[in-house]
Amino acid sequence: MGRDTPYLPDEIIQEILKRLPVRSLIRLQCVCKYWKNLIKSPSPSFIDENLRHQNPSLLLWQRDIFGPLRSQFRRSGPLLLRSIDSEMHIGKVQSPPLLSPWWNVCIVGSCNGLVCVGINESNMSAFLVWNPATGDARRIPRTKSYELDVWDCSGFGFSTIANDYKIVQVYDEDAKARISSIEVYSLNTGSWKEIELGPIKDAIPYGESITFNGCIFWEGIKVEEEEEGDDDYLIVSFDIAKEVFTFIPGLREVGNIQLTVYNDKLAILSMTLQNYLHINLWVFEEGLGSSTGRWIPMKKYIGFPHLDTFRIPITIWRNNEIVCTTLQADESRIRFFTKEGETFTIPGYYVNVFNHVESLVPVGISHC
Amino acid sequence: MSSSVEAITVLSSDGDEFKITVSAAKLSKPLNWMLEDVCFSDDCDEVPTIEVNSKTLVKVIEYCEKHAPRANSGASDSDAEELKKWDIEFMKMDVKDILFHILMAANYLHMEGLYDLACQTAADLMKGMTVSQIRKIFHIKNDFSSEEQEQLRRQHPGCSFD
């Protein structure tokens, strides 16, 4: 740009800065005090508009191969993260403060740039809400005793209606594989509160959750007093604003199932054992009125004979690229592929991969 | 305004005359208001001035003329795709020198599309710039004390003040 650039009014400078990646903004705090203030103490509208301009990224959770895999349902271990941006640049993620590097943790979820980490140490039972881009973190202790070894269910998400981020923790205090209580933490109020079990008393949500559109979803099973029937598999949904649980029918397909989001809809990536080369993408169409809705097959990702490996789908990103892991006798990889074929591959052992987006969302107060 | 008028004449801040079609001028709210208020028929001798320099106004009018058909009639996806490619070309080198002027003009003329495009172009350029390069084009002085610089460096080890 030329030497004689005009002086831009603050209004225009802010408009430009909103369109920069968070990573660049962190660097540009050094320009002057005014810019530092804009970036370090951003206005709610600046945070929101900046978030809308960010490209999606992924967090890759590296496996500490010497560490134990403690939970049956949720993957856990020390927090070693790398990130991959939409241009497929891989970077190291600085570890959060308030967390010892050897602590056993699980990742509860990632939402609008905030990552919720569950800490399950004998002397530290807490959550960490952490913004990896700004480096800020807040530790939130659990209120009750908690045993990871039984089964584990927690979730983290945002609701525009409530304008709040919440953590949900499901407790099984008697270790009876029955929910005994549920607590919800609000980032706005900074406190836990116990909520009514409602319909969830007859079901057990488990494993990793996903969140979008103001809801958190888990896979779950129905608990019957009698013999277990056929219809025991379902999806549990939690409305973050209303703080109520509802059920969505499960997808009756044998094999590996992974919840994900596709085109702003709840989706499932499935793989049958009979035909493990193929991965199917299903999308849940909400029913009208009182009907429950149903699963619609969207796409089939056909396997490629030259990549004849066992692929476990993890997630979908940039709207058409499947991320999966493959494990062969001597090596493990994260693979990316579209319907046309493989697009990218990362060697190494990974615990899990999470959809993420960088943001300036603070870990304390709400951003609206 | 007479409906027979297809193009109007405007003056740049440098005093040069420019023609802009009515449909293109409609992309700007203030110009649109002017069209409604001022007489633009041939025998009208009043030529409105736009507070934008000639070099910038040429580019702004070029953008308006290109986008006018789509803005007025709606467009198919393929047109939108073509226009997107055109925007990228439009924002390349020849505009860089006057990008900030275009930003000011788009803001002043209330042209949302051009303003958004110019802001994004500026943001993309800044990604590859050093902090001191950015200070220079924005005419900003480093007003941090050495203690404050040290503190920021500690919080964000990757940060550089140069």
Side-chain angles (χ1 to χ4, degrees):
Chain A
M1 274 181 254
R3 286 138 277 131
D4 56 341
T5 50
Y7 282 79
L8 293 182
D10 291 348
E11 177 200 346
I12 298 183
I13 291 178
Q14 288 202 36
E15 267 325 301
I16 297 171
L17 293 183
K18 275 173 193 168
R19 288 163 172 80
L20 275 162
V22 175
R23 197 162 301 212
S24 302
L25 287 178
I26 299 296
R27 184 172 69 89
L28 296 185
Q29 289 183 97
C30 301
V31 168
C32 65
K33 284 180 182 172
Y34 174 68
W35 283 30
K36 185 196 155 203
N37 211 32
L38 279 179
I39 296 160
K40 199 115 195 153
S41 317
S43 69
S45 65
F46 189 94
I47 295 170
D48 278 355
E49 285 171 50
N50 177 248
L51 179 59
R52 252 176 273 142
H53 281 103
Q54 302 302 310
N55 289 319
S57 63
L58 293 173
L59 291 176
L60 310 175
W61 187 4
Q62 286 179 282
R63 172 114 112 228
D64 168 17
I65 46 167
F66 304 109
L69 275 173
R70 280 216 223 143
S71 169
Q72 189 182 345
F73 292 111
R74 190 194 281 280
R75 287 161 264 206
S76 62
L79 194 66
L80 304 161
L81 288 180
R82 299 169 90 188
S83 70
I84 182 159
D85 67 17
S86 54
E87 275 127 37
M88 307 309 273
H89 295 131
I90 302 174
K92 191 179 178 292
V93 178
Q94 202 74 33
S95 289
L98 311 169
L99 186 78
S100 294
W102 52 85
W103 276 355
N104 192 51
V105 301
C106 62
I107 295 182
V108 178
S110 159
C111 180
N112 292 349
L114 295 186
V115 178
C116 181
V117 178
I119 307 167
N120 308 302
E121 286 292 313
S122 53
N123 58 347
M124 174 61 66
S125 178
F127 290 97
L128 197 72
V129 174
W130 167 46
N131 183 327
T134 63
D136 296 333
R138 193 218 276 201
R139 199 155 63 197
I140 299 155
R142 285 192 184 88
T143 60
K144 298 185 181 181
S145 71
Y146 178 76
E147 247 186 283
L148 181 68
D149 291 332
V150 186
W151 52 266
D152 178 34
C153 176
S154 52
F156 174 69
F158 175 71
S159 157
T160 43
I161 296 165
N163 188 25
D164 198 358
Y165 292 84
K166 291 182 186 173
I167 304 170
V168 188
Q169 174 68 61
V170 175
Y171 287 100
D172 166 27
E173 286 151 288
D174 325 319
K176 280 181 182 159
R178 275 275 180 151
I179 293 172
S180 57
S181 66
I182 294 168
E183 289 196 326
V184 176
Y185 184 88
S186 147
L187 231 59
N188 278 358
T189 65
S191 61
W192 288 101
K193 91 174 175 203
E194 191 157 338
I195 62 162
E196 297 265 322
L197 291 184
I200 197 78
K201 64 182 190 302
D202 299 324
I204 295 175
Y206 60 84
E208 270 117 17
S209 64
I210 59 145
T211 181
F212 75 104
N213 264 353
C215 288
I216 303 171
F217 302 89
W218 300 262
E219 288 178 68
I221 43 167
K222 194 123 190 167
V223 200
E224 304 279 1
E225 292 300 334
E226 310 98 58
E227 284 282 295
E228 274 184 27
D230 255 358
D231 298 309
D232 55 355
Y233 176 75
L234 44 77
I235 310 288
V236 176
S237 150
F238 177 74
D239 186 310
I240 296 165
K242 292 184 196 150
E243 299 185 344
V244 291
F245 288 91
T246 45
F247 300 140
I248 288 170
L251 179 63
R252 302 216 51 83
E253 172 143 332
V254 190
N256 199 299
I257 276 172
Q258 178 66 50
L259 288 179
T260 185
V261 182
Y262 180 75
N263 277 349
D264 241 1
K265 287 190 173 124
L266 182 64
I268 279 177
L269 291 167
S270 74
M271 176 196 70
T272 59
L273 292 170
Q274 294 90 325
N275 199 348
Y276 62 83
L277 286 181
H278 296 186
I279 290 169
N280 292 305
L281 173 66
W282 305 75
V283 167
F284 188 72
E285 289 291 344
E286 297 277 350
L288 296 168
S290 60
S291 76
T292 45
R294 62 199 176 101
W295 290 98
I296 315 276
M298 284 294 292
K299 278 186 190 176
K300 195 172 222 151
Y301 291 79
I302 311 290
F304 309 101
H306 64 285
L307 298 169
D308 190 8
T309 47
F310 195 75
R311 300 183 295 182
I312 300 165
I314 305 171
T315 188
I316 188 161
W317 85 317
R318 303 196 295 190
N319 250 345
N320 59 14
E321 220 169 340
I322 302 273
V323 183
C324 65
T325 55
T326 54
L327 186 59
Q328 283 164 307
D330 51 348
E331 66 154 353
S332 169
R333 280 171 184 276
I334 302 280
R335 292 177 188 272
F336 298 76
F337 62 96
T338 63
K339 287 189 89 159
E340 280 70 46
E342 190 166 83
T343 52
F344 202 72
T345 167
I346 305 169
Y349 288 86
Y350 290 91
V351 183
N352 210 347
V353 178
F354 294 87
N355 292 83
H356 184 64
V357 59
E358 291 195 335
S359 82
L360 292 174
V361 174
V363 296
I365 38 163
S366 156
H367 70 283
C368 270
Chain B
M1 187 198 105
S2 140
S3 58
S4 64
V5 177
E6 279 176 4
I8 55 170
T9 306
V10 292
L11 284 178
S12 72
S13 60
D14 307 327
D16 299 321
E17 281 192 7
F18 290 92
K19 284 243 181 257
I20 178 167
T21 61
V22 169
S23 64
K26 281 184 176 163
L27 255 63
S28 152
K29 270 190 206 126
L31 280 183
N32 206 12
W33 292 328
M34 265 205 285
L35 284 173
E36 283 161 8
D37 291 346
V38 187
C39 157
F40 278 113
S41 58
D42 292 340
D43 54 335
C44 181
D45 48 9
E46 193 191 340
V47 180
T49 304
I50 295 178
E51 287 304 326
V52 173
N53 68 35
S54 298
K55 208 175 160 189
T56 309
L57 194 54
V58 172
K59 297 304 285 183
V60 171
I61 292 174
E62 186 187 339
Y63 177 90
C64 288
E65 298 292 356
K66 181 71 188 178
H67 279 255
R70 179 177 175 261
N72 294 331
S73 66
S76 64
D77 285 352
S78 64
D79 283 352
E81 203 53 47
E82 196 263 336
L83 211 53
K84 229 180 191 172
K85 279 191 195 134
W86 185 88
D87 282 350
I88 292 167
E89 286 304 310
F90 178 73
M91 277 293 160
K92 275 192 183 155
M93 290 309 284
D94 58 331
V95 168
K96 238 186 205 172
D97 292 334
I98 56 163
L99 182 60
F100 280 18
H101 287 279
I102 289 191
L103 267 169
M104 301 276 275
N107 187 37
Y108 156 70
L109 292 168
H110 291 251
M111 294 174 56
E112 238 174 85
L114 181 60
Y115 186 50
D116 184 58
L117 180 65
C119 282
Q120 190 60 58
T121 308
D124 290 343
L125 284 171
M126 284 165 70
K127 281 187 220 166
M129 285 180 167
T130 65
V131 166
S132 54
Q133 282 170 329
I134 285 170
R135 279 198 202 109
K136 200 170 167 195
I137 62 162
F138 283 92
H139 311 283
I140 292 171
K141 279 205 173 73
N142 179 2
D143 57 358
F144 290 111
S145 67
S146 49
E147 290 83 35
E148 287 167 327
Q149 294 197 21
E150 197 44 51
Q151 197 190 348
L152 256 176
R153 252 192 225 110
R154 263 202 309 273
Q155 283 167 345
H156 305 282
C159 278
S160 161
F161 286 83
D162 308 312

